[in-house]
């Protein structure tokens, strides 16, 4: 064993804490098989489908329990884990390279736009417990919300209707409706104002 590996594997000198393996999946066999089957379909039929074939991708997701409006748009390079927990409203969209880690419910409201390379995480771990148990909480994204490029949304977050989460933000708590928010952690900056419609 190298010196670096020895150092990496050494418990702190003043600690008697022993942790358990974090490699064991906390899912029953049938769920693991369902996840594996979806992973195969997503990496083949879903990923290979042309960009314009949105209906085909909706159909595939629907076979695995996703509840999608007929006008929802999912990019072929989006990754959705556990699609049976995904719900998308009218004209809602998931952009290129979005990762929806839907171990719990993910609800994306009508006209909500999730930009490229966003990450929606419903799962985390309790690091204060030596068994490192999985914790899941739902994510709800409101009507007309824009989640800009590269945003990470953590478990349990609710984003209010018409809100904006600015590029590269990390959303750790709920965001109020119709507010422009940004940062790490993401915080409200100003009200989202709309231009008057043309007469």
């Amino acid at each position: 064993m190298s010196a670096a590996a020895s150092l990496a594997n050494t418990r702190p000198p003043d600690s008697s804490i022993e942790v358990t393996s974090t490699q064991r999946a906390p899912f029953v066999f049938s769920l693991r098989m369902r996840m594996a089957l979806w992973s195969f379909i997503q990496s083949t039929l879903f990923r290979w489908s042309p960009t314009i074939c949105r209906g085909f991708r909706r159909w595939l997701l629907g076979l695995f329990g996703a509840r999608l409006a007929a006008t929802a748009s999912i990019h072929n390079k989006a990754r959705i884990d556990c699609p049976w927990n995904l719900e998308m409203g009218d004209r809602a969209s998931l952009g290129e390279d979005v990762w929806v880690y839907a171990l719990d419910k993910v609800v994306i409201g009508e006209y909500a736009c999730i930009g490229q390379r966003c990450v929606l995480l419903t799962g985390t771990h309790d690091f204060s417990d030596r068994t490192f148990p999985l914790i899941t909480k739902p994510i709800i994204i409101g009507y007309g919300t824009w989640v800009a490029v590269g945003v990470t949304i953590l478990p349990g977050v609710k984003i209010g209707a018409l809100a904006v989460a600015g590029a590269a933000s990390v959303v750790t708590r709920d965001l109020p409706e119709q507010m422009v928010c940004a940062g790490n952690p993401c915080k409200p900056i100003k009200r989202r104002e709309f231009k008057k419609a043309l007469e």
Side-chain angles (χ1 to χ4, degrees):
M1 182 181 294
S2 69
S6 178
L7 179 63
N9 291 317
T10 303
R11 186 186 308 154
D14 297 329
S15 175
S16 60
I17 296 173
E18 291 186 16
V19 296
T20 62
S21 172
T22 60
Q23 301 303 313
R24 290 176 292 184
F27 309 120
V28 297
F29 179 77
S30 59
L31 180 56
R32 292 203 304 269
M33 292 300 99
R34 191 179 184 191
M35 293 168 79
L37 178 59
W38 167 247
S39 179
F40 174 76
I41 289 175
Q42 180 167 236
S43 63
T44 54
L45 297 175
F46 186 95
R47 183 58 54 90
W48 297 340
S49 63
T51 303
I52 61 171
C53 294
R54 296 177 182 88
F56 176 66
R57 290 190 292 278
R58 286 193 299 268
W59 177 74
L60 287 175
L61 287 161
L63 289 178
F64 282 81
R67 290 166 297 284
L68 308 174
T71 54
S73 175
I74 300 98
H75 198 281
N76 64 339
K77 291 185 179 177
R79 172 183 167 182
I80 297 116
D81 292 341
C82 305
W84 44 89
N85 285 327
L86 176 63
E87 182 176 340
M88 294 177 67
D90 228 17
R91 304 286 176 183
S93 63
L94 295 176
E96 185 176 1
D97 293 323
V98 168
W99 178 25
V100 181
Y101 191 48
L103 296 179
D104 209 316
K105 296 293 182 186
V106 174
V107 180
I108 301 172
E110 295 180 352
Y111 295 91
C113 176
I114 312 301
Q116 299 95 325
R117 300 189 301 281
C118 289
V119 179
L120 281 61
L121 295 173
T122 62
T124 186
H125 293 273
D126 182 357
F127 56 80
S128 66
D129 187 322
R130 69 185 66 198
T131 65
F132 208 53
L134 178 69
I135 299 171
T136 69
K137 295 179 182 178
I139 290 174
I140 301 174
I141 298 173
Y143 171 92
T145 292
W146 178 30
V147 179
V149 64
V151 171
T152 298
I153 301 175
L154 298 187
V157 165
K158 296 178 182 178
I159 299 180
L162 302 174
V164 173
S169 295
V170 179
V171 187
T172 60
R173 59 186 62 191
D174 295 355
L175 300 181
E177 66 180 37
Q178 205 170 337
M179 292 293 292
V180 177
C181 311
N184 180 6
C186 191
K187 296 179 181 179
I189 297 172
K190 63 180 181 179
R191 185 171 174 80
R192 182 183 184 185
E193 301 292 351
F194 290 86
K195 295 177 181 177
K196 292 181 179 179
L198 297 175
E199 297 290 333

